[in-house]
């Protein structure tokens, strides 16, 4: 069973059901039922038209559920006949579905969470980690969002800012998480750039390209993480870097700075440095100052502390770190790095070990454990 194929077809099938009148929650349930049927049936004989098969089965599931629910009898009567067999229209519905999920009846945070879960394919745990909240809290948020849009006609698309936020989080999870969604996020953002002329949309595409260009160098042959300073820059995709820098320069020239352009500027400075030692950390700190002004994000301020430690010395970085909440994810790992840079190897080793225990991702936990072991060996 090709799980990647199923995952790629799901948004389009869901969009078709929503356009045909199914409320979002019912459509999602019907598509999930169809996917279960596909897992059971396809190994014995896969259909010639997988998407058409899923649309037909999901639509039947939706109609069955509608008929069984007396309170939705009116929706059943207006739903129309089952779509004819054969291939559905050859259009990409995914980006449209992102806009539909960013419904005006939802708060931006709820719209993002709902879209990541229903369209992006992320688990509740992955979304909770992205938002730095407990999994139970995120589960409640998604459930409330589904209840809010239950029965709502999806004919009022949401705003671009919410869609950009969703695409950014999908890319981040695809870039560093359990599910590879980075290329899909880039593809959809390219479509958005072609449809909407705005520097922040271009800034997001530039940011994705610049980060994606380093992807091959981020892990070693055994799957372990390779820190940015230690990456083989010969493995970076120079074509993607050049494209990203060009898109960013054009966006910045319009003098409508937004957070994605600022992040892309930081990524461009990293990509432009021939070696780690030649990185322009002073400019990076300045861009982090702009980014903090735009977002007031604790994660941004955490990353800024690292940059300050590189530009002005580890003690300056530790001073910047001291102003932040110690419970912030990766706070302990940053503290360990800055203490190591300051020559306090015993404290750094202890903090690396502590950070490893807190890490949720296996690759990150293994990396931090190795860092602690390396310093303990040197003592």
């Amino acid at each position: 069973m090709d799980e990647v194929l199923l995952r790629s077809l799901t948004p389009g099938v869901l969009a078709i059901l929503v356009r045909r009148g199914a409320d979002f929650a019912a459509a999602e349930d019907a598509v999930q039922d169809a996917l279960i049927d596909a897992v059971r049936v396809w190994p014995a004989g896969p259909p010639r038209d997988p998407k058409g098969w899923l649309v037909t089965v999901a639509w039947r599931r939706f109609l069955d559920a509608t008929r069984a629910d007396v309170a939705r009898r009116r929706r059943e009567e207006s739903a129309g006949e089952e779509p004819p067999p054969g291939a559905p229209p050859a259009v990409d519905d995914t980006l449209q579905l992102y806009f539909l999920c960013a419904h005006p009846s939802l708060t931006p945070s709820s719209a993002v969470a709902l879209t990541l879960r229903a369209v992006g394919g992320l688990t509740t745990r992955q979304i909770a980690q992205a938002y730095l909240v407990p999994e139970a809290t995120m589960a409640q948020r998604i459930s409330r969002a589904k209840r809010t849009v239950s029965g709502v006609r999806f004919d009022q698309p949401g705003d671009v800012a919410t869609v950009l936020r969703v695409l950014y989080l999908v890319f981040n999870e695809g870039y560093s998480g359990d599910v590879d969604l980075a290329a899909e996020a880039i593809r959809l953002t390219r479509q958005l750039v072609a449809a909407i002329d705005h520097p922040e949309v271009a800034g997001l595409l530039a940011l994705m390209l610049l980060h994606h260009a380093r992807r091959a160098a981020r892990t070693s042959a055994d799957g372990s993480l390779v820190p940015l300073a230690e990456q083989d820059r010969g493995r970076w995709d120079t074509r993607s870097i050049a494209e990203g820098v060009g898109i960013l320069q054009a966006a910045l020239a319009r003098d409508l700075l937004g957070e994605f352009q600022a992040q892309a500027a930081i990524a461009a400075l990293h990509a432009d440095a021939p070696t780690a030692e030649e990185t322009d950390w002073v400019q990076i700190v300045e861009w982090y100052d702009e980014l903090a002004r735009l977002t007031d994000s604790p994660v941004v301020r955490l990353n800024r502390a690292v940059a300050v430690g590189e530009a002005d010395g580890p003690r300056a970085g530790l001073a910047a770190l001291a102003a932040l909440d110690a419970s912030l994810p990766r706070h302990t790992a940053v503290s360990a790095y800055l203490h190591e840079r300051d020559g306090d190897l015993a404290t750094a080793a202890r903090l690396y070990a502590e950070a490893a225990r807190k890490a949720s991702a296996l690759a990150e936990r293994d990396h931090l454990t190795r860092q602690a072991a390396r310093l303990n060996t040197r003592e």
Side-chain angles (χ1 to χ4, degrees):
M1 172 57 57
D2 191 340
E3 295 182 4
V4 175
L5 173 62
L6 284 176
R7 189 182 302 119
S8 68
L9 293 175
T10 299
V13 176
L14 184 56
I16 289 172
L17 266 65
V18 169
R19 285 207 309 269
R20 289 184 173 274
D23 70 63
F24 190 89
E28 186 185 15
D29 289 343
V31 172
Q32 292 302 318
D33 287 342
L35 293 175
I36 293 172
D37 285 350
V39 171
R40 178 175 54 83
V41 173
W42 286 11
R48 293 183 180 180
D49 177 14
K51 185 174 182 179
W53 189 97
L54 287 172
V55 169
T56 299
V57 172
W59 187 252
R60 286 173 179 165
R61 290 282 189 168
F62 166 69
L63 290 180
D64 289 343
T66 302
R67 295 187 184 100
D69 190 342
V70 176
R72 296 180 184 177
R73 185 67 61 182
R74 183 174 299 176
R75 179 177 291 280
E76 177 194 13
E77 294 171 354
S78 63
E81 298 180 354
E82 179 182 328
V91 296
D92 186 348
D93 303 291
T94 309
L95 189 58
Q96 180 187 20
L97 191 57
Y98 272 68
F99 274 95
L100 292 177
C101 287
H103 197 273
S105 63
L106 294 172
T107 63
S109 61
S110 294
V112 170
L114 178 64
T115 313
L116 289 173
R117 182 70 185 93
V119 188
L122 275 63
T123 65
T124 303
R125 176 182 59 82
Q126 290 169 323
I127 302 169
Q129 290 174 348
Y131 270 91
L132 309 179
V133 300
E135 184 175 349
T137 300
M138 184 52 65
Q140 292 175 354
R141 184 179 300 178
I142 293 172
S143 295
R144 285 196 301 269
K146 287 183 177 181
R147 287 195 299 270
T148 299
V149 299
S150 180
V152 170
R153 186 75 179 183
F154 276 67
D155 55 2
Q156 293 178 278
D159 64 357
V160 175
T162 300
V163 174
L164 289 179
R165 176 64 52 193
V166 174
L167 287 169
Y168 176 58
L169 291 173
V170 169
F171 174 81
N172 278 344
E173 192 60 43
Y175 186 63
S176 60
D178 303 325
V179 182
D180 186 357
L181 298 167
E184 174 69 358
I186 291 174
R187 183 183 71 83
L188 293 173
T189 306
R190 286 190 186 279
Q191 291 186 6
L192 196 57
V193 167
I196 299 176
D197 181 23
H198 192 283
E200 265 298 82
V201 180
L204 177 59
L205 178 58
L207 175 62
M208 289 179 174
L209 291 171
L210 289 165
H211 278 310
H212 205 60
R214 303 199 303 259
R215 187 171 188 178
R218 292 185 73 248
T219 55
S220 60
D222 63 1
S224 58
L225 291 180
V226 180
L228 177 60
E230 300 173 17
Q231 289 177 14
D232 178 1
R233 298 182 180 224
R235 299 183 64 193
W236 290 1
D237 184 348
T238 55
R239 180 177 299 178
S240 291
I241 290 173
E243 182 185 4
V245 169
I247 292 171
L248 173 63
Q249 289 175 338
L252 291 175
R254 300 177 66 175
D255 199 23
L256 292 170
L257 184 63
E259 62 175 295
F260 294 120
Q261 295 171 74
Q263 288 190 63
I266 293 168
L269 287 167
H270 283 298
D272 188 53
T275 65
E277 293 73 23
E278 296 174 85
T279 303
D280 190 343
W281 286 106
V282 173
Q283 271 205 73
I284 288 177
V285 171
E286 292 174 354
W287 276 112
Y288 270 122
D289 288 338
E290 290 285 351
L291 191 55
R293 179 182 60 80
L294 290 165
T295 66
D296 195 28
S297 163
V299 175
V300 169
R301 296 188 184 281
L302 182 69
N303 291 331
R304 179 186 177 277
V306 177
V308 168
E310 299 290 351
D312 300 327
R315 294 193 179 182
L318 287 167
L321 187 65
L324 303 177
D325 186 348
S327 67
L328 192 64
R330 295 190 172 89
H331 185 284
T332 306
V334 170
S335 182
Y337 173 75
L338 292 171
H339 274 96
E340 180 184 357
R341 288 281 318 280
D342 196 37
D344 188 352
L345 302 188
T347 299
R350 175 179 59 78
L351 290 171
Y352 275 131
E354 181 182 340
R357 291 191 294 269
K358 295 178 179 179
S360 57
L362 179 60
E364 182 182 3
R365 185 162 63 247
D366 289 346
H367 171 71
L368 292 168
T369 300
R370 284 193 296 271
Q371 295 295 85
R374 173 179 57 82
L375 293 186
N376 284 326
T377 301
R378 291 173 56 180
E379 288 185 47

